[in-house]
């Protein structure tokens, strides 16, 4: 009698794995097969527990593809905490800690597996899924000797376990020959990458930037009003009041020698300097506020460890990318002193400076996970098109990583989509994967007015103390 479950479909979802455990509980001991092993009791935190699970993973990974493919599309399952007629459950151990414990015996890279806890009748059961063997897979062996306290049931490093006839046992010469055939027959087989690349901020959209002449002139017009509206500082008097002679001399020295026309010419010269400086200030503030911070999520859907994964993005659009920076210095030209102000060579009046920079509302929509301080993880070329190269390092089987974030600025039309073509490679796979990712462009548009204050309030940003 076989387990009461469809053995022709892969089981991965928690609900399906729960049904698998329930089928085991309702089954019999003789229902154990090459594709499934169960342990009613096992302590996950002990060396013995880790070795026993690793042993079953190695045996399942060393199956022959043709034989394994007849059931569960080649997947192998290890149930810990349940057996026919027995539901003991396990004390859950963080899967990252379990992975580290098993890696000692599985090696790195080793067989591909994944663990899931499911709740069945109030008990927690561990289900380990071992990926289907494929042509070209290596022969997996025990990476570390295990010697139990009792002195019985151990195994030496290098032992090859096989899962045959519902038992996991050391490989015999004929088994090793089958595994060698598996390795050799994989040579020349087409290889492929199966990565999933997405931007996990489902509700976010790229804020487009308007740096047109019209947008800059709108900022310039308001800056002009603010500068011209500046009032000269009030006259200061001594505690006892100035003498008549002091008052006459002070007024003569402090008189503004500029005519109104000369002052307005200085204002226009200041605004012309601002025209060339405001773009740099806008770019700097966009980076400082992490506007459009893109942190791509890359998932390895294969059954292999993928070392040295490299992801290259190409964008053919009105866009530019920048590395995430902690702080970018910028400044705007100082406006001329207010008309009617005394000469600064006689009085220490402060020049009016740039106001504080407001935060842009809605930036919490953009992802900030997976931040990296290593600039070597990303290379950006904004020459003819935007090319971004991201180094992801090793991706474990079914592992997920966030690539180094970067800021992506775009001048595309609001409510449009921006297409990002990507290619991925790994030093272990002689293949290249290509894909496409689209990012939504927001209906809201950023202009210089959203980022750089035009008002004059006596404050500075990123100015040296000597100029204050």
């Amino acid at each position: 009698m076989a387990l009461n479950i469809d053995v022709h479909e892969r089981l991965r979802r928690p609900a399906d794995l729960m049904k698998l455990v329930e089928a085991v509980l309702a089954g019999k001991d003789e229902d154990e097969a090459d594709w499934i092993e169960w342990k009613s009791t096992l302590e996950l935190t002990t060396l013995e527990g880790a070795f026993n699970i690793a042993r079953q993973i190695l045996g399942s990974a060393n199956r022959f593809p043709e034989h394994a493919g007849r059931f569960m599309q080649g997947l192998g399952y290890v149930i810990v905490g349940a057996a026919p007629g027995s539901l003991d459950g396990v004390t859950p151990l963080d899967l990252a800690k379990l992975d580290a414990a098993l890696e000692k015996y599985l090696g790195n890279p080793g067989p591909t597996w994944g663990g899931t806890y499911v709740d069945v009748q109030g008990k927690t059961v561990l289900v380990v899924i071992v990926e289907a063997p494929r042509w070209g897979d290596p022969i997996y062996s025990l990476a570390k000797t295990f010697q139990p306290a009792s002195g019985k049931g151990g195994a030496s490093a290098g032992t090859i376990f096989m899962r045959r006839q519902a038992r996991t046992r050391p490989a015999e010469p004929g088994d090793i020959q089958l595994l060698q055939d598996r390795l050799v027959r994989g040579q020349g087989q087409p290889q492929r990458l199966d990565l999933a690349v997405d931007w996990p901020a489902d509700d976010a959209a790229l804020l487009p930037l308007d740096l047109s002449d019209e947008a800059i002139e709108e900022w310039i017009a308001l800056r002009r009003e603010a500068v011209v509206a500046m009032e000269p500082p009030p006259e200061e008097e001594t505690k006892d009041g100035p003498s008549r002679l002091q008052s006459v001399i002070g007024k003569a020295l402090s008189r503004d020698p500029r005519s109104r026309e000369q002052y307005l010419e200085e204002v226009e010269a200041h605004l012309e300097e601002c025209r060339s400086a405001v773009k740099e200030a806008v770019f700097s503030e966009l980076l400082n506020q992490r506007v459009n911070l893109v942190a791509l999520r890359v998932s390895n859907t294969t059954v292999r460890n993928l070392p040295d994964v490299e992801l290259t993005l190409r964008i053919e659009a009105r866009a530019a990318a920048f590395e995430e920076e902690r702080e970018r210095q910028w400044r705007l030209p100082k406006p001329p002193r207010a008309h009617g102000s005394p000469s600064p060579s006689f009085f220490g009046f402060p020049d009016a400076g740039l106001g504080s920079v407001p935060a842009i509302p809605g930036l919490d929509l953009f992802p900030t996970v997976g931040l990296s301080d290593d600039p070597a993880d990303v290379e950006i070329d904004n020459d003819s098109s935007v090319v971004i190269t991201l180094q992801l390092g090793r991706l474990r089987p079914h592992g997920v990583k966030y690539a180094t974030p970067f800021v992506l600025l775009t001048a595309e039309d609001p409510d449009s989509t921006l297409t990002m073509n990507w290619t991925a490679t790994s030093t272990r796979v002689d293949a290249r994967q290509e894909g496409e990712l689209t990012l939504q462009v927001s209906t809201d548009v950023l202009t210089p007015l959203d980022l750089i204050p035009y008002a004059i309030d006596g404050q500075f940003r990123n100015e040296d103390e000597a100029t204050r």
Side-chain angles (χ1 to χ4, degrees), residues 274-462:
C274 286
R275 283 186 178 89
S276 58
V278 71
K279 284 187 177 182
E280 179 64 27
V282 167
F283 278 120
S284 298
E285 196 55 35
L286 286 169
L287 299 182
N288 288 340
Q289 296 198 32
R290 272 67 164 176
V291 177
N292 294 353
L293 186 66
V294 177
L296 295 180
R297 180 172 57 192
V298 183
S299 306
N300 177 12
T301 65
T302 71
V303 298
R304 297 171 179 265
N305 283 289
L306 298 177
D308 301 323
V309 175
E310 181 179 275
L311 185 68
T312 301
L313 315 171
R314 183 178 294 273
I315 304 172
E316 302 286 352
R318 293 181 296 168
F322 300 88
E323 295 180 22
E324 184 199 14
E325 299 184 28
R326 296 303 176 190
E327 183 65 25
R328 186 181 176 97
Q329 301 296 310
W330 62 272
R331 61 184 297 177
L332 288 180
K334 296 179 184 177
R337 68 183 190 277
H339 189 236
S341 299
S343 171
S345 60
F346 295 100
F347 296 88
F349 299 119
D351 291 325
L354 181 63
S356 59
V357 178
I360 302 174
L363 288 188
D364 55 337
L365 293 177
F366 294 94
T368 57
V369 292
L371 302 184
S372 172
D373 294 323
D374 187 358
D377 289 344
V378 57
E379 293 182 6
I380 297 175
D381 183 0
N382 289 315
D383 197 4
S384 56
S385 59
V386 182
V387 179
I388 306 163
T389 303
L390 301 166
Q391 304 296 337
L392 295 166
R394 182 165 71 98
L395 267 175
R396 291 180 178 272
H398 298 289
V400 178
K401 273 193 176 182
Y402 287 90
T404 302
F406 58 89
V407 173
L408 181 60
L409 305 182
T410 180
E412 291 296 303
D413 295 332
D415 202 24
S416 61
T417 57
L418 187 146
T419 300
M420 180 185 299
N421 295 300
W422 58 267
T423 59
T425 58
S426 169
T427 54
R428 183 171 179 176
V429 180
D430 295 329
R432 184 177 73 168
Q433 184 183 359
E434 298 181 352
E436 182 179 283
L437 181 65
T438 58
L439 304 179
Q440 183 66 32
V441 179
S442 173
T443 56
D444 298 324
V445 181
L446 288 176
T447 71
L449 290 175
D450 298 314
L451 293 156
I452 308 302
Y454 58 83
I456 308 299
D457 62 4
Q459 298 182 16
F460 292 82
R461 179 176 178 82
N462 300 328

Side-chain angles (χ1 to χ4, degrees), residues 114-150:
T116 302
Y117 291 109
V118 295
D119 292 327
V120 180
Q121 302 175 23
K123 296 285 188 176
T124 300
V125 177
L126 172 65
V127 181
V128 173
I129 304 174
V130 185
E131 292 300 332
R134 294 185 179 183
W135 303 113
D137 279 353
I139 301 175
Y140 297 108
S141 63
L142 189 66
K144 180 182 178 181
T145 296
F146 171 72
Q147 187 63 47
S150 63

Side-chain angles (χ1 to χ4, degrees), residues 254-267:
S254 64
R255 183 180 299 114
D256 192 338
R258 302 169 299 174
S259 66
R260 183 67 177 176
E261 290 73 17
Q262 289 174 326
Y263 167 69
L264 294 178
E265 288 178 0
E266 290 184 2
V267 171

